[in-house]
Amino acid sequence: MTRRKIPALAGILILFVFLAGALVGQKSEAPAREADDLLAARDACTSILVGKDASADGSVMTTHTCDCGACDWTWRHVPPADHKPGSVRRILHISQYQTWPPSQGLKWDLVKKDYAGYDIPEVPHTYGYHHGMFGYMNDQQVAIGESSIGNQPKMANSTPSAGMDLTTLTLIAMERAKTAREAIQVMGSLAEKYGYGFHDEGEMLAVSDPNEAWLFEIMPVGPLWTPKSGKPGAVWCAERVPDDQVSVCPNESRIGEIDLANKDFFMASPNVVSQAVDMGFFDPKSGKPFNWKKAYSPQPGSAASTNGRIQRLWRFFNVVAPSMNLKPETANMDLPFSVKPDRKLSLQDVMEITRDRSYGTPFDPVQGIRGGPFKNPNYYRQTRVIDDARAEYTTVTQCRASLPGPIGGIVWISFGSQDTACYMPFYAGVTELPRSFAVGDHWVFNRDSARWAFDYTDFHVQVVYSEAIKDVLAAQEKYERGAIARIPEIDKQALALYKKKPAEATRFLTGFCLNNAKTVVDAWWKLGDDLLVKYHHLFLYDTEKRIYKRGQPAAPDWWKKAVRIFDILMEPDKQETRQGGRP
Amino acid sequence: MKHPSTILILAACAALLTAGAAAGQTVPKVGLPVLTTSAGQSTDVETLNIVMEEAGIKYDYCDVPTADMLLAGVGLGGRQSGPGFHVEITTDTAKFPAGTPYKAVFIAIGASLKGMGASGLTLDSEEARLKKLCEICKQKKIFIMAVHIGGESKRGAAGSDNERMIDAVAPYADYLVVTKDSNKDGRFTKISKARNIPMAEIEYALGLVDIVKQVLL
């Protein structure tokens, strides 16, 4: 050891302590295997439910952050229809994940080839609705959000004996249900009769109407089920969120003990307990009450014990009801089903929760050096926050009892990462969705696809996140909050037309929504262009003054120190020999 | 009314005839120990394992066994599960001590990019792994039963991920068991005839329970 190296090593020791704190700053990592499994199974969509007396405007709200990263994002409107007696409705297998190259066609045309082998009796009239990966809003104001929750492994039924996938169930619910309760009964009874699973396993749906929000969970009953068995081909349960409360599902089963005698708050399939007994998940002689989630989809761990991997549940409750002072160390399965928020939530509050990044919590993705010099929350993905850069799209649905179906229901849609996107309203009565919402995929850049406009902006934000996000916030203020502000006047005009002639109201709403969407999509293409110009070469280009500032955006001093510390810590020898050149 | 024992005998004969008709050919008898695994990492292998449990048969399972692990016999050489790699040893080691050569390998065919991704595999590497595994089975005279229970919807078009898995395994099989839905286009029947591989068609995965009993017990 040379004398020159001694002080350097002493410095390294001190700096190591400093950097270790900056790098870790949290409790020890979860065991590798547990963390790996959790990442795979519990890292998808988040769905929020808001009761009518828990919202500022009396609307029942649900959300769905459709977090996939490789799925289809396209949307379609299905018009209402009348059907002749004896008509049948063909059942298709529809995968949440499967995509096709655009050259082969669009998903919603191609899935028609995947006949599940069942044609069920059609109803005389099917309602019109909007759908993406799932059905989201019909013209009766029945709305849906989704989150995968998984189930005990032996419950999975990926065999063709399971005729119903989740997507198919939601589409049929849209077609047939006038209330949330009807939607649950439609989906539950079809799954029991024709079997549930195939592409899907345990799933949660947030099912709402203008009066109620229900949290519905459904699971397959194993691969050995056959329609000839005479037993239900699915097991399901639903619990209503109290009107003055809110709930959330972040890829975890949420229903605990159930009281089927309380029909206003619980619904279930006839095998809700017996299935668990038959499969060995519940012992009725144990003396313990039956607990749905513990039997069918147990999820050990807490936000703290998993180092933030499953922190969304705790985080949501902590955001809406900080007065409850819920602890991240509390096991997720012990957290409440729903809570009364400290204050009623507005539409904008709910949208912002879908953008939550857990800033300022022990799971802050930009604390220390995690986010790099420009505090990019997408660099550090150990923590699973509610906002997800992989989102295909996100929905916020509103069901409003004070207005007729076509006007009362709104599904707000944003594409891509929630923080850099913009919610656009589509009333339930809208008879057409933008063409740009129906095309595009992840593998072919497409300027005709609305989704790519938002990815285009999102991409250019990543370079200097802390600076560029300010431009996005300004655009959101103008276009998203601008649209929210216009809704009362649009409602008023639509209602006046509706009273005279409902078809005129739907034409008016369609025009408003299509025009607004086009304006927003165009604005986001331009925003992407502007960000590219403004921050290219990592300098700040002032397009009005036609000057650029080489020192801006400036990397903060703490970052420069962190870089020096890293160099000394990780490559001390190279500090003495590096002579420049390319890395 | 006929005597109950007569009815039972008739019922047993009918069951045997039905099983024979379902198979179209005699069900091979192989015996234990057995390894279950996947070709393509879809969840169909979980169905296969549930079938084994329903049949009351103890087995070893590995989602991505290598040739060395296969040759290590019961216990798979002591390999343990890890991220993207799963092992389950339930074989009765009192009867079949660790290292006992496997008599049979049951392979559930079904491609899942999600499953392959989780195991760190690509289509090409999965194909290569399966080719080697099947070659070792042939060399060591280990019986291969290839199972396809995913149905028509998961078959995919020619050249699809799933079809590549079928091509990688089915021609090497000593016995094919497929659901009718999986064989709507006669793909497996063609392989069976071309390679002279006995084949059984079943309606549902439940039908596999009796077959694994007949093959292994």
Side-chain angles (χ1 to χ4, degrees), chain A residues 318-340:
Chain A
N318 201 41
V319 165
V320 298
S323 64
M324 291 182 76
N325 199 25
L326 294 170
K327 304 293 183 192
E329 291 80 13
T330 302
N332 279 17
M333 291 187 80
D334 294 333
L335 288 170
F337 170 75
S338 59
V339 301
K340 186 173 180 178

Side-chain angles (χ1 to χ4, degrees), chain A residues 32-33 36-37 40 93 97 114-115 118 153-161 198-199 201 223-228, chain B residues 43-44 46-47 50-51 54 81-86 114 149-154 179 181 184 203-206 209:
Chain A
R33 182 65 209 286
D36 189 57
D37 284 351
H93 280 309
Y97 297 96
D114 282 344
Y115 178 43
Y118 294 110
K154 67 196 280 190
M155 298 177 78
N157 183 5
S158 59
T159 77
S161 75
F198 199 66
H199 286 304
E201 296 189 9
L224 304 184
W225 178 83
T226 75
K228 295 171 182 171
Chain B
T43 55
D44 292 336
E46 291 168 19
T47 299
I50 288 171
V51 163
E54 184 71 15
S81 294
F85 177 79
H86 299 94
K114 190 178 168 187
I149 46 180
E152 182 185 27
S153 180
K154 289 180 184 168
T179 53
D181 194 30
K184 262 188 181 169
E203 193 167 1
Y204 299 109
L206 183 64
V209 175

